[in-house]
Amino acid sequence: DFNAITKVFPPQPKIDLDPVIDLSKKPNKNFQTLVRCFRLTNDAIVSLKERATSEAVPHPTSFESIAGFIWENIVYAAYNTRASIPESTMLKLSMNMRPSINSPLPKESIGNCLVNLVAKATGLKTVPCLVKEIHEQIIKANFKIEKCQGDNVVEDFCLHRDEVKE
C-alpha cells in the first residue's frame, strides 16, 4: 500500500530534517569509521536489563538496556581518551512510529515512518540514569505521535532540530 502513510501524514513542504554533516562534501583526512558487530546472548540481555533496572524504569526493554550500556561505555571511552569528563552527551535514536499511530498502518504499507529522538545527559552517568533518559524520550515521542497526526506533524517533530545541530 503506497498511500497508507500519506493518508495518516499528508506530504509537507521539504524541511531540512537531517542535522548530520555530509562528510562526503567536506573530506576530512582524520575521519575514520570503525564498525563492530556484537552478538548478545539471551543471558547477557537479561543481565543488562537487571543492571538497567531502577525505580524510575522498573522494567526496561532490551533496547533501552542495550542502548544505555553502549552509551555509558562510549562516554567512559571518551573520558579515558581525553582524561576529562565530557560536559554533556547526546544519544540520537530513530524510532518507528507505526505502532504508536492511532489508526495503525497496514503491515503492507511502504515508506519510512520514523522520528528521531535525542536523549541527553551531563557528565558521567550510570546505565540506569541513561536508560531513564532514553525511556523518557520514547514516552514523550509516543505521546506526541498519538496527539499529533495530520497537518502539523512535521513541525511538531522538528522542535529539537536546532538543538541537535548544535
Side-chain angles (χ1 to χ4, degrees):
D1 183 348
F2 290 100
N3 296 316
I5 289 179
T6 58
K7 288 176 189 168
V8 179
F9 298 106
Q12 301 291 314
K14 185 168 173 38
I15 297 174
D16 180 21
L17 299 174
D18 193 3
V20 177
I21 298 168
D22 184 355
L23 294 172
S24 65
K25 292 180 183 172
K26 296 179 182 178
N28 182 343
K29 294 177 184 172
N30 297 324
F31 181 77
Q32 294 180 342
T33 302
L34 176 65
V35 178
R36 297 256 170 98
C37 181
F38 299 93
R39 180 173 292 166
L40 301 174
T41 64
N42 287 338
D43 291 340
I45 294 171
V46 168
S47 176
L48 285 175
K49 281 183 169 184
E50 288 171 2
R51 183 174 169 199
T53 300
S54 68
E55 205 172 290
V57 186
H59 304 289
T61 64
S62 297
F63 172 78
E64 291 167 342
S65 304
I66 294 167
F69 172 75
I70 292 170
W71 190 6
E72 179 193 50
N73 282 280
I74 289 171
V75 172
Y76 276 100
Y79 168 69
N80 288 332
T81 57
R82 293 183 189 153
S84 65
I85 298 171
E87 186 177 317
S88 64
T89 57
M90 293 190 303
L91 180 66
K92 180 181 170 187
L93 311 163
S94 293
M95 181 177 139
N96 180 7
M97 294 171 59
R98 292 174 193 267
S100 303
I101 296 173
N102 283 332
S103 55
L105 295 168
K107 288 183 180 180
E108 301 80 20
S109 65
I110 294 176
N112 293 334
C113 195
L114 303 171
V115 63
N116 290 323
L117 315 175
V118 177
K120 298 182 222 171
T122 55
L124 296 175
K125 299 288 185 196
T126 61
V127 171
C129 292
L130 298 172
V131 167
K132 178 181 175 249
E133 296 299 323
I134 294 166
H135 184 79
E136 286 175 357
Q137 292 305 313
I138 292 170
I139 296 293
K140 284 180 190 175
N142 279 325
F143 181 72
K144 277 187 187 178
I145 293 165
E146 289 172 5
K147 275 184 55 180
C148 306
Q149 293 181 29
D151 295 341
N152 296 328
V153 74
V154 173
E155 289 84 3
D156 291 335
F157 285 102
C158 293
L159 295 175
H160 301 293
R161 159 176 93 221
D162 295 331
E163 215 174 298
V164 173
K165 282 183 180 181
E166 277 184 29

